Amino acid sequence: MNKVFNNAIEATADIKNGATIMLGGFGLNGIPENCIAALVKHNVRDLTCISNNAGVDDFGLGLLLQTKQIKKMISSYVGENALFEKQLLSGELEVDLVPQGTLATSIQMAAMGIPAYFTPAGVGTEIAIGKEVREFDGKMYLMEKAIHADFAIVKAWKGDKAGNLVFRKATRNFSTSMAKAGNITIVEVEHLLEPGAIDPDEVDVAGVYVHRIFQGSNYQKRIERRTTKI
C-alpha cells in the first residue's frame, strides 16, 4: 500500500463538508500547518474540530475560524484566540470545553478501542450535566465517552514511507494518541525517510495507524507568547 502523497492538498482532498477532524499539536507547537492551509483552500465547511487549542487569530485553527469553516470546536485551551471568543459569544460557533486531561484521555480511549471510562474530573460541575455519575470506593466519578474522528491530522518530526512516526518533546502530548484515533490518519512530516531509516526503538506511532503521509514545507513554528527571564 502506497501511503505517500505529494502534498497537503492531495492528502486532504477527500475531506468533505461536515467532517469531524482531530488536529494535533500542543498550543501552536507541532500543529499540522500545511494541512490547515490546505483545508482553507479546499473551503470545506461545517467542520467539527477536536484540538487541544483553537490557534490564534491569524495562525493555526484561527485561519479556519477566519473563514468560518468550523461549525464546532472541542477543545481544552482557547484563551489565545479573540476571534474564537467573538464567534462563541455571538452564537456562530458551537463549543465543547473539555478539561485537558479528560480530552487527552478520551482520545486515548478511542485509540485503544475503549468506548467509555470514569474520571473524577468535572464531578459536581456543569461538565457533569446529562452524564452518568457513579461511586467507586466512596468517591464519585463521571463517565466520559471516547472521542473519535473521521480524520486525524498530525505533524511529526520524522516519518518513513511506511508511516512509522517520531515526534519531538511536547508534540507527543496529543498527536501520538490522535494518530491512532481517526478513521483515516493523515501525517505531515519535516523529514520523510525510507523504510528502515528509523530505529524501531525511536518509533512513537507505528505505521499501521497511518494511512497518508507527505513531507511538509515552509513551517513557521510559531508560539503563542514569548517569555524571557533575566
Side-chain angles (χ1 to χ4, degrees):
M1 177 180 177
N2 180 23
K3 302 179 181 182
V4 179
F5 282 65
N6 290 319
N7 51 51
I9 293 292
E10 291 184 8
T12 58
D14 62 342
I15 297 179
K16 305 298 184 184
N17 294 346
T20 298
I21 306 173
M22 290 180 179
L23 297 111
F26 191 63
L28 296 181
N29 183 20
I31 65 172
E33 297 178 32
N34 289 198
C35 284
I36 292 172
L39 292 173
V40 173
K41 290 183 178 179
H42 289 314
N43 196 32
V44 286
R45 319 295 295 185
D46 297 325
L47 298 174
T48 295
C49 292
I50 303 160
S51 175
N52 153 258
N53 69 98
V56 293
D57 291 345
D58 61 346
F59 189 65
L61 288 179
L63 298 175
L64 290 169
L65 289 171
Q66 280 183 349
T67 52
K68 298 186 178 180
Q69 292 173 247
I70 300 177
K71 176 183 177 181
K72 181 177 181 178
M73 282 291 309
I74 302 174
S75 298
S76 59
Y77 175 68
V78 296
E80 302 292 342
N81 195 321
L83 181 59
F84 175 96
E85 178 184 9
K86 180 180 178 181
Q87 291 186 5
L88 168 61
L89 294 176
S90 68
E92 296 177 85
L93 181 67
E94 298 176 42
V95 178
D96 282 352
L97 290 177
V98 183
Q100 186 152 262
T102 300
L103 181 63
T105 304
S106 294
I107 295 167
Q108 289 172 351
M109 294 299 103
M112 293 188 289
I114 298 174
Y117 65 99
F118 285 90
T119 174
V123 172
T125 73
E126 290 187 8
I127 292 171
I129 294 175
K131 297 178 182 177
E132 180 180 348
V133 178
R134 190 180 298 184
E135 182 178 344
F136 295 94
D137 298 324
K139 187 173 181 178
M140 304 308 294
Y141 291 81
L142 179 65
M143 190 181 81
E144 294 283 1
K145 295 182 179 179
I147 296 178
H148 300 266
D150 301 317
F151 294 87
I153 300 177
V154 302
K155 177 196 174 221
W157 176 41
K158 295 189 296 186
D160 66 25
K161 293 180 179 180
N164 298 299
L165 307 176
V166 180
F167 294 84
R168 294 193 71 227
K169 302 181 180 182
T171 62
R172 296 184 179 92
N173 289 356
F174 280 88
S175 295
T176 53
S177 297
M178 286 184 173
K180 303 173 186 177
N183 293 337
I184 295 176
T185 296
I186 302 170
V187 184
E188 56 182 85
V189 295
E190 292 186 44
H191 307 284
L192 183 60
L193 309 173
E194 294 296 328
I198 299 175
D199 186 328
D201 285 338
E202 294 181 359
V203 171
D204 294 310
V205 173
V208 67
Y209 295 104
V210 175
H211 303 87
R212 305 171 191 173
I213 190 168
F214 67 93
Q215 183 160 323
S217 61
N218 301 317
Y219 288 111
Q220 295 186 41
K221 298 186 180 181
R222 289 171 54 178
I223 60 174
E224 290 96 334
R225 300 189 183 200
R226 185 177 299 277
T227 58
T228 57
K229 181 177 180 181
I230 299 176

mmCIF file of all heavy atoms in Angstrom, residues 132-158:
data_model
loop_
_atom_site.group_PDB
_atom_site.id
_atom_site.type_symbol
_atom_site.label_atom_id
_atom_site.label_comp_id
_atom_site.label_asym_id
_atom_site.label_seq_id
_atom_site.Cartn_x
_atom_site.Cartn_y
_atom_site.Cartn_z
ATOM 1 N N GLU A 132 -23.562 10.216 33.274
ATOM 2 C CA GLU A 132 -23.671 9.267 34.369
ATOM 3 C C GLU A 132 -22.598 9.517 35.416
ATOM 4 O O GLU A 132 -21.418 9.708 35.085
ATOM 5 C CB GLU A 132 -23.539 7.832 33.845
ATOM 6 C CG GLU A 132 -23.637 6.781 34.941
ATOM 7 C CD GLU A 132 -23.502 5.358 34.423
ATOM 8 O OE1 GLU A 132 -23.558 5.163 33.188
ATOM 9 O OE2 GLU A 132 -23.339 4.453 35.263
ATOM 10 N N VAL A 133 -23.011 9.525 36.684
ATOM 11 C CA VAL A 133 -22.074 9.650 37.801
ATOM 12 C C VAL A 133 -22.202 8.396 38.655
ATOM 13 O O VAL A 133 -23.307 7.971 38.988
ATOM 14 C CB VAL A 133 -22.365 10.904 38.656
ATOM 15 C CG1 VAL A 133 -21.408 10.981 39.839
ATOM 16 C CG2 VAL A 133 -22.262 12.168 37.802
ATOM 17 N N ARG A 134 -21.088 7.803 38.989
ATOM 18 C CA ARG A 134 -21.104 6.557 39.748
ATOM 19 C C ARG A 134 -20.066 6.604 40.863
ATOM 20 O O ARG A 134 -19.024 7.267 40.725
ATOM 21 C CB ARG A 134 -20.823 5.379 38.815
ATOM 22 C CG ARG A 134 -21.046 4.012 39.459
ATOM 23 C CD ARG A 134 -20.760 2.872 38.490
ATOM 24 N NE ARG A 134 -21.653 2.891 37.319
ATOM 25 C CZ ARG A 134 -21.646 1.957 36.392
ATOM 26 N NH1 ARG A 134 -20.773 0.949 36.475
ATOM 27 N NH2 ARG A 134 -22.468 2.031 35.371
ATOM 28 N N GLU A 135 -20.358 5.917 41.947
ATOM 29 C CA GLU A 135 -19.450 5.892 43.099
ATOM 30 C C GLU A 135 -18.564 4.651 43.061
ATOM 31 O O GLU A 135 -19.032 3.535 42.845
ATOM 32 C CB GLU A 135 -20.256 5.910 44.399
ATOM 33 C CG GLU A 135 -19.385 5.924 45.656
ATOM 34 C CD GLU A 135 -20.205 5.981 46.931
ATOM 35 O OE1 GLU A 135 -21.413 6.324 46.856
ATOM 36 O OE2 GLU A 135 -19.647 5.670 48.005
ATOM 37 N N PHE A 136 -17.268 4.884 43.271
ATOM 38 C CA PHE A 136 -16.307 3.791 43.410
ATOM 39 C C PHE A 136 -15.483 4.038 44.668
ATOM 40 O O PHE A 136 -14.853 5.103 44.807
ATOM 41 C CB PHE A 136 -15.371 3.726 42.196
ATOM 42 C CG PHE A 136 -16.046 3.380 40.902
ATOM 43 C CD1 PHE A 136 -16.488 4.380 40.044
ATOM 44 C CD2 PHE A 136 -16.250 2.052 40.538
ATOM 45 C CE1 PHE A 136 -17.102 4.075 38.839
ATOM 46 C CE2 PHE A 136 -16.874 1.740 39.333
ATOM 47 C CZ PHE A 136 -17.304 2.747 38.483
ATOM 48 N N ASP A 137 -15.495 3.092 45.590
ATOM 49 C CA ASP A 137 -14.705 3.189 46.813
ATOM 50 C C ASP A 137 -14.925 4.509 47.541
ATOM 51 O O ASP A 137 -13.985 5.160 48.025
ATOM 52 C CB ASP A 137 -13.215 3.004 46.515
ATOM 53 C CG ASP A 137 -12.899 1.638 45.934
ATOM 54 O OD1 ASP A 137 -13.541 0.655 46.356
ATOM 55 O OD2 ASP A 137 -12.030 1.559 45.045
ATOM 56 N N GLY A 138 -16.177 4.932 47.599
ATOM 57 C CA GLY A 138 -16.514 6.120 48.352
ATOM 58 C C GLY A 138 -16.276 7.432 47.642
ATOM 59 O O GLY A 138 -16.466 8.504 48.228
ATOM 60 N N LYS A 139 -15.879 7.406 46.361
ATOM 61 C CA LYS A 139 -15.611 8.625 45.610
ATOM 62 C C LYS A 139 -16.450 8.634 44.345
ATOM 63 O O LYS A 139 -16.627 7.601 43.698
ATOM 64 C CB LYS A 139 -14.123 8.727 45.257
ATOM 65 C CG LYS A 139 -13.715 10.043 44.628
ATOM 66 C CD LYS A 139 -12.192 10.119 44.469
ATOM 67 C CE LYS A 139 -11.778 11.445 43.870
ATOM 68 N NZ LYS A 139 -10.280 11.553 43.759
ATOM 69 N N MET A 140 -16.952 9.818 43.985
ATOM 70 C CA MET A 140 -17.816 9.941 42.824
ATOM 71 C C MET A 140 -16.989 10.157 41.546
ATOM 72 O O MET A 140 -16.011 10.925 41.547
ATOM 73 C CB MET A 140 -18.804 11.092 43.001
ATOM 74 C CG MET A 140 -19.661 10.976 44.252
ATOM 75 S SD MET A 140 -20.511 9.372 44.419
ATOM 76 C CE MET A 140 -21.638 9.440 43.021
ATOM 77 N N TYR A 141 -17.432 9.489 40.492
ATOM 78 C CA TYR A 141 -16.742 9.563 39.210
ATOM 79 C C TYR A 141 -17.757 9.842 38.104
ATOM 80 O O TYR A 141 -18.904 9.400 38.164
ATOM 81 C CB TYR A 141 -16.000 8.268 38.898
ATOM 82 C CG TYR A 141 -14.809 8.018 39.788
ATOM 83 C CD1 TYR A 141 -14.979 7.477 41.060
ATOM 84 C CD2 TYR A 141 -13.518 8.309 39.354
ATOM 85 C CE1 TYR A 141 -13.882 7.243 41.886
ATOM 86 C CE2 TYR A 141 -12.426 8.077 40.170
ATOM 87 C CZ TYR A 141 -12.615 7.552 41.423
ATOM 88 O OH TYR A 141 -11.532 7.330 42.237
ATOM 89 N N LEU A 142 -17.292 10.525 37.091
ATOM 90 C CA LEU A 142 -18.119 10.912 35.958
ATOM 91 C C LEU A 142 -17.768 10.036 34.753
ATOM 92 O O LEU A 142 -16.592 9.820 34.461
ATOM 93 C CB LEU A 142 -17.847 12.381 35.624
ATOM 94 C CG LEU A 142 -18.576 13.026 34.443
ATOM 95 C CD1 LEU A 142 -20.070 13.085 34.723
ATOM 96 C CD2 LEU A 142 -18.016 14.419 34.198
ATOM 97 N N MET A 143 -18.770 9.537 34.046
ATOM 98 C CA MET A 143 -18.491 8.732 32.862
ATOM 99 C C MET A 143 -18.290 9.638 31.646
ATOM 100 O O MET A 143 -19.128 10.489 31.342
ATOM 101 C CB MET A 143 -19.620 7.758 32.567
ATOM 102 C CG MET A 143 -19.236 6.734 31.488
ATOM 103 S SD MET A 143 -20.525 5.547 31.066
ATOM 104 C CE MET A 143 -21.515 6.516 29.927
ATOM 105 N N GLU A 144 -17.188 9.456 30.994
ATOM 106 C CA GLU A 144 -16.882 10.168 29.758
ATOM 107 C C GLU A 144 -16.724 9.148 28.639
ATOM 108 O O GLU A 144 -16.235 8.036 28.862
ATOM 109 C CB GLU A 144 -15.587 10.979 29.890
ATOM 110 C CG GLU A 144 -15.667 12.117 30.890
ATOM 111 C CD GLU A 144 -16.415 13.329 30.344
ATOM 112 O OE1 GLU A 144 -16.889 13.272 29.182
ATOM 113 O OE2 GLU A 144 -16.524 14.323 31.074
ATOM 114 N N LYS A 145 -17.120 9.544 27.437
ATOM 115 C CA LYS A 145 -17.021 8.652 26.282
ATOM 116 C C LYS A 145 -15.741 8.929 25.491
ATOM 117 O O LYS A 145 -15.220 10.045 25.511
ATOM 118 C CB LYS A 145 -18.243 8.826 25.386
ATOM 119 C CG LYS A 145 -19.546 8.389 26.036
ATOM 120 C CD LYS A 145 -20.711 8.547 25.073
ATOM 121 C CE LYS A 145 -22.011 8.093 25.714
ATOM 122 N NZ LYS A 145 -23.161 8.265 24.787
ATOM 123 N N ALA A 146 -15.275 7.914 24.807
ATOM 124 C CA ALA A 146 -14.135 8.079 23.906
ATOM 125 C C ALA A 146 -14.500 9.062 22.795
ATOM 126 O O ALA A 146 -15.660 9.194 22.412
ATOM 127 C CB ALA A 146 -13.738 6.734 23.307
ATOM 128 N N ILE A 147 -13.499 9.771 22.292
ATOM 129 C CA ILE A 147 -13.706 10.738 21.214
ATOM 130 C C ILE A 147 -13.042 10.217 19.941
ATOM 131 O O ILE A 147 -11.829 10.007 19.893
ATOM 132 C CB ILE A 147 -13.123 12.117 21.577
ATOM 133 C CG1 ILE A 147 -13.877 12.702 22.787
ATOM 134 C CG2 ILE A 147 -13.207 13.067 20.392
ATOM 135 C CD1 ILE A 147 -13.329 14.034 23.243
ATOM 136 N N HIS A 148 -13.842 10.016 18.921
ATOM 137 C CA HIS A 148 -13.372 9.529 17.618
ATOM 138 C C HIS A 148 -13.443 10.654 16.591
ATOM 139 O O HIS A 148 -14.041 11.700 16.833
ATOM 140 C CB HIS A 148 -14.219 8.352 17.142
ATOM 141 C CG HIS A 148 -14.212 7.174 18.054
ATOM 142 N ND1 HIS A 148 -13.335 6.118 17.899
ATOM 143 C CD2 HIS A 148 -14.963 6.883 19.148
ATOM 144 C CE1 HIS A 148 -13.556 5.225 18.852
ATOM 145 N NE2 HIS A 148 -14.538 5.664 19.620
ATOM 146 N N ALA A 149 -12.861 10.443 15.432
ATOM 147 C CA ALA A 149 -12.930 11.425 14.349
ATOM 148 C C ALA A 149 -12.883 10.716 13.002
ATOM 149 O O ALA A 149 -12.326 9.622 12.875
ATOM 150 C CB ALA A 149 -11.784 12.417 14.453
ATOM 151 N N ASP A 150 -13.467 11.366 12.007
ATOM 152 C CA ASP A 150 -13.369 10.847 10.647
ATOM 153 C C ASP A 150 -11.919 10.885 10.163
ATOM 154 O O ASP A 150 -11.436 9.945 9.520
ATOM 155 C CB ASP A 150 -14.235 11.685 9.696
ATOM 156 C CG ASP A 150 -15.695 11.707 10.099
ATOM 157 O OD1 ASP A 150 -16.218 10.635 10.454
ATOM 158 O OD2 ASP A 150 -16.307 12.788 10.054
ATOM 159 N N PHE A 151 -11.238 11.991 10.486
ATOM 160 C CA PHE A 151 -9.845 12.168 10.085
ATOM 161 C C PHE A 151 -9.026 12.633 11.286
ATOM 162 O O PHE A 151 -9.479 13.476 12.066
ATOM 163 C CB PHE A 151 -9.717 13.220 8.971
ATOM 164 C CG PHE A 151 -10.354 12.837 7.676
ATOM 165 C CD1 PHE A 151 -11.690 13.107 7.438
ATOM 166 C CD2 PHE A 151 -9.621 12.199 6.675
ATOM 167 C CE1 PHE A 151 -12.297 12.759 6.240
ATOM 168 C CE2 PHE A 151 -10.211 11.837 5.482
ATOM 169 C CZ PHE A 151 -11.556 12.114 5.268
ATOM 170 N N ALA A 152 -7.842 12.081 11.429
ATOM 171 C CA ALA A 152 -6.848 12.587 12.381
ATOM 172 C C ALA A 152 -5.707 13.175 11.564
ATOM 173 O O ALA A 152 -5.140 12.493 10.704
ATOM 174 C CB ALA A 152 -6.342 11.471 13.284
ATOM 175 N N ILE A 153 -5.401 14.446 11.812
ATOM 176 C CA ILE A 153 -4.360 15.137 11.057
ATOM 177 C C ILE A 153 -3.286 15.595 12.032
ATOM 178 O O ILE A 153 -3.561 16.379 12.945
ATOM 179 C CB ILE A 153 -4.936 16.340 10.291
ATOM 180 C CG1 ILE A 153 -6.017 15.878 9.315
ATOM 181 C CG2 ILE A 153 -3.838 17.079 9.559
ATOM 182 C CD1 ILE A 153 -6.703 17.008 8.569
ATOM 183 N N VAL A 154 -2.072 15.092 11.866
ATOM 184 C CA VAL A 154 -0.998 15.423 12.791
ATOM 185 C C VAL A 154 0.283 15.753 12.034
ATOM 186 O O VAL A 154 0.423 15.452 10.843
ATOM 187 C CB VAL A 154 -0.724 14.274 13.791
ATOM 188 C CG1 VAL A 154 -1.978 13.927 14.582
ATOM 189 C CG2 VAL A 154 -0.201 13.034 13.075
ATOM 190 N N LYS A 155 1.191 16.379 12.756
ATOM 191 C CA LYS A 155 2.525 16.657 12.213
ATOM 192 C C LYS A 155 3.553 15.927 13.067
ATOM 193 O O LYS A 155 3.496 15.985 14.299
ATOM 194 C CB LYS A 155 2.820 18.150 12.235
ATOM 195 C CG LYS A 155 4.221 18.474 11.742
ATOM 196 C CD LYS A 155 4.633 19.896 12.123
ATOM 197 C CE LYS A 155 6.102 20.080 11.733
ATOM 198 N NZ LYS A 155 6.856 20.818 12.738
ATOM 199 N N ALA A 156 4.482 15.237 12.425
ATOM 200 C CA ALA A 156 5.560 14.552 13.125
ATOM 201 C C ALA A 156 6.901 15.138 12.704
ATOM 202 O O ALA A 156 7.018 15.782 11.649
ATOM 203 C CB ALA A 156 5.528 13.054 12.838
ATOM 204 N N TRP A 157 7.893 14.919 13.520
ATOM 205 C CA TRP A 157 9.250 15.373 13.195
ATOM 206 C C TRP A 157 9.825 14.546 12.052
ATOM 207 O O TRP A 157 10.263 15.080 11.032
ATOM 208 C CB TRP A 157 10.126 15.282 14.438
ATOM 209 C CG TRP A 157 11.562 15.626 14.217
ATOM 210 C CD1 TRP A 157 12.064 16.642 13.453
ATOM 211 C CD2 TRP A 157 12.701 14.970 14.788
ATOM 212 N NE1 TRP A 157 13.438 16.658 13.503
ATOM 213 C CE2 TRP A 157 13.855 15.635 14.327
ATOM 214 C CE3 TRP A 157 12.849 13.889 15.663
ATOM 215 C CZ2 TRP A 157 15.140 15.247 14.690
ATOM 216 C CZ3 TRP A 157 14.126 13.508 16.032
ATOM 217 C CH2 TRP A 157 15.263 14.185 15.544
ATOM 218 N N LYS A 158 9.770 13.217 12.228
ATOM 219 C CA LYS A 158 10.266 12.296 11.209
ATOM 220 C C LYS A 158 9.227 11.209 10.946
ATOM 221 O O LYS A 158 8.479 10.824 11.839
ATOM 222 C CB LYS A 158 11.575 11.633 11.658
ATOM 223 C CG LYS A 158 12.736 12.566 11.833
ATOM 224 C CD LYS A 158 14.043 11.795 12.066
ATOM 225 C CE LYS A 158 14.039 11.001 13.351
ATOM 226 N NZ LYS A 158 15.374 10.376 13.625
#
